[in-house]
């Protein structure tokens, strides 16, 4: 650990450029150098420049395949991206965690009360408390710390800013008090607990796992306590295509019931088929029971179950395509996934707000620009937020112009896959 002033001197001298290039790419090193210096300065103003601090980062994630499959123990294909939440943090002796996130009030959590608080649900302090709670339940060390954070992960973007924040807090607790001995998989599981039990959002595990583990990974949640994680060695940058996330400006804030209905309806279909989750049944069993399922659950729940069963197999096909170097096949599968999400999963616009269809519009525009030369789909949980697009280099400029003319300047984000998950910079 170094004092705030020592860290700033190191960054200003270029001594940290190699580390920054490793994490963010050489072209972004200068921008990140200034970003970390600003964060260090802000920590110094709030908590003192003579504090010994460590630096942490946790990335956003992009879901490449497996839309709404994780919560029914399915497969997903995901990757960490080069947008992240960073923290300057230092241990304290006063039994509390204080986190000041740029643009938000200070969160303070006392470590003598770690049970979920009803009034805290939906707040970032619930995520902090939830991570500390899970560490303590697992017999791991916890302690007070002060932190300043700043994020480049777009809030409400489908890039999972909340998962990145949870993983960041877990990474701080891991390195400050447990010598980095907690695995990335375990940090992700703790983060899901914090989001489910303390924050009050019934998320699956994919977001946290992709942020915590990093790189391109295939995850099989057949046994959610011991998910199978497989790195997928593929270089998207070498394909001549760009990964573009289009932010349509929608807000997820009032859509929790829409999100909650997806796993609830899938699990209701599973229960009607005599199993606990859809991973435990088959397409043939679903077709056999279809008449009774429609009567009992309604058509939407049946269609969502059909989406799951096909999407779960599609992920395996996507992994095979990437491992075989068959990028055209991969793009075709991305398009199939997008159609299934729109038509059967039905998470492109909220049923409660049919007039607001920014995602539908963005998908239509993508098709008009990319037809026959790329792929487009809803990104993340859906209902609002972002689309994911694979755009050939020759069409990047017209694609970006088209999207930003409708959704505003800066709404089209050209991303790259990041090779690291949650990390302490000193550990690199």
């Amino acid at each position: 650990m170094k004092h705030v002033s020592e860290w700033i001197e190191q960054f200003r001298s270029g001594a940290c450029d190699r580390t920054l290039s490793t994490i963010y790419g050489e072209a972004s090193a200068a921008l990140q150098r200034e970003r970390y210096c600003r964060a260090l300065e802000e920590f110094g103003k709030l908590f003192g420049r003579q504090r010994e601090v460590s630096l942490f980062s946790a990335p956003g994630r992009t879901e490449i395949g497996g839309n709404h499959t994780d919560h029914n123990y399915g497969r997903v294909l995901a990757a960490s991206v080069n947008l992240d939440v960073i923290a300057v943090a230092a241990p304290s002796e006063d039994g509390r965690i204080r986190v000041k996130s740029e643009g938000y009030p200070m969160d303070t959590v006392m470590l003598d009360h770690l049970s979920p608080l009803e009034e805290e649900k939906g707040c970032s302090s619930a995520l902090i408390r939830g991570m500390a709670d899970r560490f303590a339940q697992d017999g791991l060390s916890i302690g007070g710390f002060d932190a300043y954070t700043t994020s480049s992960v777009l809030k409400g973007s489908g890039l999972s800013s909340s998962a990145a924040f949870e993983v960041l807090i877990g990474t701080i607790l891991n390195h400050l008090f447990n010598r980095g001995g907690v695995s990335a998989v375990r940090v992700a599981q703790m983060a899901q607990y914090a989001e489910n039990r303390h924050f009050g959002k019934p998320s699956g595990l994919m977001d946290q796992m992709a942020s915590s583990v990093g790189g391109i990974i295939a995850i099989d949640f057949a046994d959610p306590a011991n998910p199978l994680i497989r790195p997928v060695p593929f270089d998207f940058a070498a394909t001549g295509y760009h990964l573009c996330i289009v932010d349509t400006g929608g807000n997820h804030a009032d859509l929790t019931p829409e999100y909650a209905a997806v796993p609830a309806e899938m699990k209701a279909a599973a229960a009607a088929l005599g199993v606990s989750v859809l991973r435990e049944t088959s397409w043939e069993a679903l077709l056999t029971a279809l008449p009774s399922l429609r009567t009992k659950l309604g058509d939407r729940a049946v269609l969502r179950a059909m989406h799951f069963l096909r999407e779960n197999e599609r992920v395996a096909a996507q992994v095979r395509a990437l491992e075989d170097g068959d990028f055209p096949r991969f793009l075709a599968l991305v398009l199939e996934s997008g159609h299934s999400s729109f038509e059967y999963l039905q998470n492109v616009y909220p049923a409660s707000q049919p007039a607001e269809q920014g995602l539908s519009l963005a998908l239509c525009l993508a098709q008009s620009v990319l037809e026959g030369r790329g792929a487009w789909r809803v990104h993340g949980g859906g209902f609002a937020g972002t689309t994911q697009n694979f755009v050939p280099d020759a069409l990047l400029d017209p694609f970006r112009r088209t999207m930003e003319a409708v959704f505003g300047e800066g709404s089209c984000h050209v991303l790259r896959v990041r090779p690291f998950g949650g990390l302490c910079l000193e550990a690199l």
Side-chain angles (χ1 to χ4, degrees):
M1 297 178 76
K2 301 181 182 72
H3 294 117
V4 170
S5 300
E6 290 178 300
W7 270 117
I8 292 173
E9 184 178 333
Q10 289 263 294
F11 277 104
R12 295 286 187 216
S13 70
C16 299
D17 281 5
R18 177 177 291 184
T19 298
L20 295 176
S21 296
T22 301
I23 300 170
Y24 299 100
E26 192 172 339
S28 299
L31 179 67
Q32 295 298 332
R33 186 192 311 137
E34 292 306 312
R35 182 181 177 218
Y36 276 90
C37 284
R38 286 195 302 272
L40 285 157
E41 292 283 6
E42 291 301 320
F43 180 96
K45 291 176 188 175
L46 287 165
F47 304 116
R49 289 179 67 90
Q50 295 310 307
R51 296 282 292 279
E52 288 191 336
V53 299
S54 293
L55 306 179
F56 300 89
S57 164
R61 69 96 184 100
T62 182
E63 168 208 281
I64 301 169
N67 199 214
H68 278 282
T69 53
D70 57 336
H71 46 62
N72 266 254
Y73 298 5
R75 302 182 183 97
V76 298
L77 180 63
S80 54
V81 298
N82 59 325
L83 301 178
D84 65 346
V85 190
I86 65 171
V88 181
S92 62
E93 302 293 334
D94 54 8
R96 64 181 177 179
I97 296 172
R98 294 189 296 176
V99 178
K100 175 67 172 74
S101 297
E102 183 180 21
Y104 296 91
M106 180 89 73
D107 287 311
T108 301
V109 170
M110 303 304 297
L111 296 180
D112 59 359
H113 185 94
L114 295 178
S115 300
L117 299 177
E118 189 64 31
E119 66 272 18
E120 204 173 52
K121 286 188 174 179
C123 301
S124 55
S125 56
L127 300 176
I128 300 166
R129 192 182 307 276
M131 292 304 295
D133 179 24
R134 192 75 239 188
F135 266 76
Q137 286 187 41
D138 285 2
L140 296 163
S141 297
I142 61 172
F145 65 84
D146 296 326
Y148 178 83
T149 82
T150 181
S151 177
S152 61
V153 185
L154 310 166
K155 200 166 179 62
S157 66
L159 295 170
S160 296
S161 57
S162 60
F165 183 77
E166 296 153 15
V167 168
L168 183 75
I169 298 301
T171 304
I172 293 171
L173 289 168
N174 187 15
H175 285 273
L176 290 188
F177 304 108
N178 294 277
R179 299 183 179 181
V182 184
S183 73
V185 169
R186 188 69 197 117
V187 169
Q189 292 168 328
M190 293 173 170
Q192 184 196 22
Y193 168 85
E195 187 154 323
N196 291 175
R197 289 281 291 114
H198 285 256
F199 191 77
K201 184 177 178 181
S203 72
L205 184 54
M206 186 265 287
D207 295 350
Q208 293 84 358
M209 197 67 74
S211 177
S212 188
V213 174
I216 305 172
I217 53 172
I219 315 170
D220 190 330
F221 290 111
D223 178 0
N226 298 285
L228 294 176
I229 300 167
R230 183 167 139 205
V232 180
F234 187 84
D235 184 3
F236 278 114
T239 64
Y241 279 74
H242 300 274
L243 171 61
C244 296
I245 301 297
V246 175
D247 184 0
T248 66
N251 194 311
H252 295 74
D254 300 320
L255 298 177
T256 296
E258 298 275 2
Y259 292 116
V262 174
E265 289 181 12
M266 286 186 180
K267 288 176 181 176
L273 290 165
V275 295
S276 58
V277 289
L278 288 171
R279 181 63 181 272
E280 298 168 350
T281 189
S282 67
W283 182 262
E284 292 72 25
L286 180 64
L287 291 183
T288 299
L290 205 51
S292 62
L293 287 177
R294 291 186 68 201
T295 301
K296 185 174 182 179
L297 302 175
D299 288 336
R300 190 175 73 171
V302 171
L303 287 166
R304 284 175 165 171
M306 292 175 127
H307 163 82
F308 172 90
L309 291 168
R310 285 295 193 242
E311 183 80 348
N312 194 48
E313 294 306 314
R314 192 176 291 116
V315 170
Q318 285 181 307
V319 172
R320 286 195 299 272
L322 292 177
E323 290 179 337
D324 292 343
D326 190 349
F327 196 64
R329 174 63 177 152
F330 167 79
L331 291 177
L333 291 164
V334 172
L335 284 171
E336 283 184 22
S337 174
H339 281 293
S340 183
S341 293
F342 203 152
E343 297 160 19
Y344 311 128
L345 180 60
Q346 299 180 33
N347 70 329
V348 169
Y349 63 90
S352 58
Q353 302 169 32
E356 296 181 20
Q357 295 202 36
L359 291 180
S360 307
L361 180 57
L363 294 169
C364 179
L365 292 170
Q367 182 173 351
S368 72
V369 177
L370 301 178
E371 186 67 81
R373 297 198 56 194
W376 52 93
R377 68 193 282 270
V378 63
H379 183 243
F383 299 110
T386 58
T387 63
Q388 179 188 75
N389 309 269
F390 291 91
V391 181
D393 187 66
L395 293 178
L396 181 60
D397 287 342
F399 180 85
R400 183 159 26 194
R401 283 197 304 271
T402 298
M403 292 301 173
E404 295 193 348
V406 175
F407 300 109
E409 185 176 353
S411 58
C412 180
H413 302 271
V414 183
L415 304 182
R416 68 174 186 86
V417 174
R418 159 176 159 152
F420 301 99
L423 58 84
C424 174
L425 269 66
E426 292 157 290
L428 279 184

